[in-house]
């Protein structure tokens, strides 16, 4: 700053250094689907916000000035960095999360204007077992006493992206179990020729597995007397 010389005063000068520091930020993580089921695709989003006083310019949005990247960590494992967009947001999608509660956090790299930041509150992304559907049929129907009948069961995931269920199915005549089979490509069969005469309700219980939830199905079958 310079004060010019005049008739009454000598010229004077002074100067100072104005320090401008980077603005602090905070980062929040959210999920598009929580809880999710095995096989679901989940979008994880990180929103980088500017903290006061850097955000205190009336009528001005500073989000558009944010650059840099966000790194997501799932159960401590870093994912590939993602650039933030003009709104200060970065997202990733994951469709291969195992059945569990997954700890998700994010780290913003910072840039020339804004300081880096880590999530203050981590997200727990819950992934539950996939819902299944069990269907059972019997043939031939009806049968005579001593005649063989084949019961066929198919277990499928309600969400096709979850793949093909594995595990064991139990066959019951009413409430009495008469056999079990392991699924092969989501299906199993059971042959029986010892059902007594009468009307039968054949129930099949799928016992579930690590990634697939339990389910049940039933069919009716008639055995004719001699």
């Amino acid at each position: 700053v310079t004060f010019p010389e005049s008739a009454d005063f000598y010229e004077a000068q002074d100067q100072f250094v104005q320090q401008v520091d980077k603005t602090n930020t905070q980062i929040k993580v959210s999920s598009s689907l929580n809880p999710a089921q095995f096989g679901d695709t989940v979008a994880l989003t990180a929103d980088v916000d500017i903290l006061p006083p850097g955000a205190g310019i009336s009528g001005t949005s500073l989000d558009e000035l944010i650059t840099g990247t966000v790194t997501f960590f799932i159960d401590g494992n870093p994912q590939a960095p993602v650039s933030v967009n003009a709104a200060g947001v970065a997202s990733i999608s994951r469709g291969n999360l195992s059945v569990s509660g997954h700890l998700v956090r994010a780290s913003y790299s910072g840039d020339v204007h804004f300081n880096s930041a880590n999530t203050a509150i981590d997200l727990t992304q819950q992934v539950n077992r996939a819902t299944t559907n069990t269907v059972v049929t019997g043939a031939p129907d009806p049968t005579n006493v001593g005649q063989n009948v084949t019961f066929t069961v198919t277990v499928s995931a309600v969400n096709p992206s979850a793949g093909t269920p594995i595990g064991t199915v139990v066959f019951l005549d009413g409430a009495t179990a008469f056999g079990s089979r392991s699924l092969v490509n989501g299906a199993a069969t059971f042959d029986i020729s010892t059902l007594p005469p009468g009307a039968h309700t054949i129930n099949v219980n799928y016992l579930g597995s690590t990634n697939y939830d339990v389910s049940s199905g039933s069919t009716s079958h008639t055995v004719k007397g001699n």
Side-chain angles (χ1 to χ4, degrees):
V1 177
T2 300
F3 183 78
E5 184 177 353
S6 67
D8 298 316
F9 300 98
Y10 291 107
E11 179 182 298
Q13 294 181 340
D14 194 12
Q15 64 180 11
F16 69 95
V17 176
Q18 174 63 56
Q19 179 66 34
V20 179
D21 295 326
K22 291 184 179 182
T23 296
N24 289 329
T25 60
Q26 67 178 7
I27 184 169
K28 299 176 183 177
V29 177
S30 60
S31 167
S32 64
L33 186 62
N34 196 12
Q37 288 191 9
F38 177 73
D40 286 335
T41 296
V42 178
L44 300 172
T45 299
D47 189 356
V48 182
D49 294 322
I50 300 166
L51 296 177
I57 300 177
S58 177
T60 301
S61 174
L62 296 182
D63 281 351
E64 63 187 26
L65 300 178
I66 294 178
T67 60
T69 60
V70 167
T71 300
F72 291 86
F73 295 83
I74 301 177
D75 298 326
N77 299 312
Q79 312 299 296
V82 182
S83 296
V84 297
N85 63 18
V89 174
S91 297
I92 61 171
S93 293
R94 293 292 180 269
N96 59 347
L97 295 175
S98 61
V99 174
S100 182
H102 298 275
L103 186 67
V104 179
R105 59 184 53 174
S107 177
Y108 168 56
S109 65
D111 62 15
V112 295
H113 298 114
F114 303 103
N115 285 319
S116 61
N118 297 313
T119 45
I121 301 176
D122 297 328
L123 170 74
T124 298
Q125 174 64 56
Q126 183 64 42
V127 179
N128 296 326
R129 294 192 294 177
T131 302
T132 61
N133 186 42
T134 296
V135 176
V136 58
T137 59
D141 182 34
T143 56
N144 296 313
V145 172
Q147 183 181 355
N148 185 75
V149 56
T150 299
F151 293 106
T152 301
V153 59
T154 301
V155 181
S156 59
V158 173
N159 178 0
S161 298
T164 302
I166 61 174
T168 302
V169 289
V170 177
F171 294 80
L172 305 96
D173 181 9
T176 303
F178 59 83
S180 64
R181 290 289 186 268
S182 295
L183 293 175
V184 177
N185 295 323
T189 61
F190 195 96
D191 295 333
I192 186 170
S193 60
T194 57
L195 292 175
H200 298 265
T201 298
I202 304 301
N203 299 307
V204 177
N205 294 336
Y206 169 56
L207 302 184
S209 64
T210 299
N211 294 325
Y212 301 96
D213 208 356
V214 301
S215 60
S216 298
S218 64
T219 189
S220 60
H221 180 73
T222 300
V223 178
K224 295 181 177 181
N226 291 329

